[in-house]
Amino acid sequence: NQPTSNTTTSTLSGVQISDLQYMYQEEKLARDVYNKIYEQWGHSTFANIAVSEQQHMNSILSLLNKYSIPIPIVDTPGVYADNTLQNLYNQLIIRSNSSLNEAFAVGILIENTDIADLQSKILNVPQDVAAVYQQLLNGSYSHLASFTAWYNP
């Protein structure tokens, strides 16, 4: 028998599984909204951060695959399995279309929401999940700083 310490897969609770599926969709929402805002306003900050959000999705996807958790949705921009996220997406797109400054406010809202969700979900999870959540938190803090720098209250 070979040691499996580096590839050991913990058992996730039902809540932890649901949390991973939700965070996948939340990162997708961020990517999709930022891509739409970039199409609308052409500001490169949104395009750059959308690329980062895709990397966040890929990080969560690796965990979903590792733990054999079904991917919650097909990756169609603007479509979510979670009705709350679907409604949020629709509202944020309408809001971001009103002005570029309002689009930055939408980015701030998304990142603050993401940070709060990650901070609540990172507690008492296996180390591999915590590491990914921490990576996403670090990215969200960076994105928040970028949007805040551009936003004019």
Side-chain angles (χ1 to χ4, degrees):
N1 287 347
Q2 296 180 359
T4 57
S5 60
N6 291 338
T7 59
T8 300
T9 301
S10 303
T11 302
L12 298 181
S13 70
V15 169
Q16 291 168 334
I17 289 169
S18 296
D19 285 351
L20 278 170
Q21 291 175 316
Y22 183 84
M23 290 311 301
Y24 179 81
Q25 290 185 84
E26 191 171 277
E27 297 297 333
K28 178 186 177 311
L29 177 139
R31 183 206 62 190
D32 294 351
V33 169
Y34 300 157
N35 278 330
K36 274 294 214 195
I37 291 173
Y38 178 69
E39 288 174 21
Q40 172 73 17
W41 299 107
H43 198 286
S44 63
T45 299
F46 293 101
N48 295 338
I49 294 177
V51 169
S52 179
E53 298 297 348
Q54 179 64 58
Q55 293 168 344
H56 292 185
M57 288 173 62
N58 294 346
S59 295
I60 295 175
L61 183 60
S62 70
L63 289 172
L64 293 174
N65 290 333
K66 176 180 180 179
Y67 288 98
S68 301
I69 300 169
I71 299 165
I73 49 172
V74 175
D75 189 6
T76 303
V79 178
Y80 308 89
D82 184 282
N83 285 334
T84 302
L85 289 176
Q86 185 65 62
N87 291 333
L88 180 60
Y89 172 84
N90 295 340
Q91 293 167 8
L92 293 177
I93 293 302
I94 291 167
R95 183 175 171 190
S96 67
N97 283 336
S98 64
S99 73
L100 179 56
N101 196 56
E102 201 56 30
F104 286 118
V106 164
I108 291 167
L109 174 69
I110 289 172
E111 297 306 329
N112 277 326
T113 301
D114 206 21
I115 288 166
D117 288 346
L118 286 163
Q119 286 175 333
S120 70
K121 293 172 185 356
I122 200 170
L123 305 173
N124 303 314
V125 295
Q127 193 280 326
D128 57 342
V129 176
V132 168
Y133 282 172
Q134 188 60 56
Q135 171 195 5
L136 272 51
L137 263 172
N138 294 344
S140 289
Y141 286 123
S142 174
H143 302 162
L144 179 60
S146 294
F147 291 136
T148 302
W150 286 101
Y151 179 64
N152 186 9

